[in-house]
């Protein structure tokens, strides 16, 4: 099964830029999606197909994907962005979604 | 605006079978994949399995022998059964929707907590 690797934690000061990585073998040829999960809440989709944003997600959130690493970038980080972030791809061989282990963003 | 609502017993005893329901409101079950995903306390997300609106299923190989997912289109509900429960099955269980042809889940339920304990 396809494996996604995320750093357990990332810290950033308010107003700065946070970058959360998601590593996988040749992940650049896959579509990567990102979810934000705040404590006690369900995950919320923040980026889909590498760099598309659902309606209601601020433009501060963006994504990129190349080679063996996908990256979620959050510009001008706010206290309200503090959450766990999960990357996800579709494992075509098993025909199912795969999640990364999650990254806790501390602001 | 489609909404998903999970419901279940809250607590089950070891070796018993867990049964959960996800009720879909504000939209149709048709032409979507419906996944069950769980999250043990303090841990990450684990995909359990999905069912397409035509009844086609796919399960996590690690859980396949214990899991059954079904759909009742007349009630706009999907269900999850997990047999032979152990403490390792203690988790928040979510249902989530993926549109046919998409590889991401755009709508999630709020989740329901299940504790396996005698």
């Amino acid at each position: 099964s396809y494996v996604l690797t995320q750093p357990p934690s990332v810290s950033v000061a308010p107003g700065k830029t946070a970058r959360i990585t998601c590593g996988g073998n040749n992940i650049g040829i896959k579509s990567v999606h990102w979810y934000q999960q705040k404590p006690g809440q369900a995950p919320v989709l923040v980026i889909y197909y590498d760099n598309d944003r659902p309606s209601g997600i601020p433009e501060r959130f963006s994504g990129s994907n190349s080679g063996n690493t996908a990256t979620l970038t959050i510009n001008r980080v706010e206290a309200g962005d503090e959450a766990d972030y999960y990357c996800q791809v579709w494992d075509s061989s098993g025909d199912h979604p795969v999640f990364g282990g999650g990254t806790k963003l501390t602001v | 605006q489609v909404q998903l609502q999970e419901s279940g017993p809250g607590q089950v005893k070891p070796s018993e079978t867990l049964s959960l329901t996800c009720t879909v409101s504000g939209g149709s079950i048709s032409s979507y994949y419906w996944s069950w995903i769980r999250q043990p306390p303090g841990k990450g997300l684990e995909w359990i399995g999905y069912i397409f609106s035509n009844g086609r299923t796919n399960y996590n190989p690690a859980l396949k022998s214990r899991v059954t997912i079904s759909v009742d289109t007349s009630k706009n509900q999907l269900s999850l059964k997990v047999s032979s429960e152990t403490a390792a099955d203690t988790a928040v269980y979510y249902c989530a929707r993926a549109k046919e042809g998409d590889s991401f889940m755009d709508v999630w339920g709020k989740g329901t907590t299940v504790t396996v304990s005698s």
Side-chain angles (χ1 to χ4, degrees):
Chain A
S1 188
Y2 194 79
V3 176
L4 295 174
T5 302
Q6 297 183 238
S9 61
V10 168
S11 294
V12 64
K16 300 299 186 183
T17 297
R19 293 180 180 85
I20 298 171
T21 59
C22 176
N25 184 32
N26 217 11
I27 196 173
I29 65 171
K30 293 182 177 294
S31 294
V32 179
H33 318 297
W34 293 90
Y35 303 87
Q36 175 194 69
Q37 186 181 33
K38 296 183 179 179
Q41 298 183 20
V44 172
L45 181 71
V46 293
I47 292 289
Y48 63 100
Y49 290 136
D50 296 344
N51 193 26
D52 286 335
R53 278 177 292 105
S55 61
I57 300 301
E59 291 183 9
R60 301 184 296 105
F61 287 79
S62 64
S64 63
N65 184 18
S66 179
N68 292 315
T69 304
T71 303
L72 173 68
T73 300
I74 310 172
N75 294 315
R76 301 182 299 283
V77 168
E78 303 172 357
D81 297 330
E82 191 163 278
D84 293 327
Y85 291 85
Y86 293 89
C87 59
Q88 178 247 311
V89 301
W90 194 268
D91 182 339
S92 54
S93 62
D95 192 23
H96 62 77
V98 173
F99 293 96
T103 298
K104 181 176 180 58
L105 177 66
T106 300
V107 180
Chain B
Q1 179 89 359
V2 64
Q3 291 186 322
L4 311 182
Q5 179 66 60
E6 304 89 346
S7 58
Q11 182 169 325
V12 296
K13 292 182 169 55
S15 80
E16 291 187 344
T17 294
L18 167 68
S19 293
L20 298 178
T21 298
C22 174
T23 301
V24 180
S25 59
S28 173
I29 277 188
S30 298
S31 301
Y32 288 96
Y33 287 88
W34 302 92
S35 281
W36 284 97
I37 294 154
R38 69 181 184 181
Q39 186 172 36
K43 296 189 177 181
L45 303 170
E46 179 183 33
W47 173 75
I48 299 170
Y50 67 65
I51 188 166
F52 188 57
S53 51
N54 65 3
R56 182 173 76 87
T57 56
N58 192 15
Y59 300 125
N60 184 327
L63 301 168
K64 186 174 184 176
S65 63
R66 299 194 294 127
V67 170
T68 302
I69 298 175
S70 59
V71 64
D72 186 335
T73 53
S74 66
K75 295 182 178 179
N76 253 23
Q77 288 181 335
L78 49 148
S79 67
L80 169 71
K81 293 187 189 300
V82 183
S83 63
S84 305
E85 287 276 295
T86 71
D89 295 311
T90 293
V92 177
Y93 285 74
Y94 298 99
C95 57
R97 182 189 83 167
K99 186 178 176 182
E100 183 181 12
D102 283 336
S103 57
F104 58 89
M105 286 144 284
D106 64 339
V107 180
W108 294 62
K110 287 182 165 58
T112 187
T113 299
V114 175
T115 302
V116 181
S117 174
S118 54

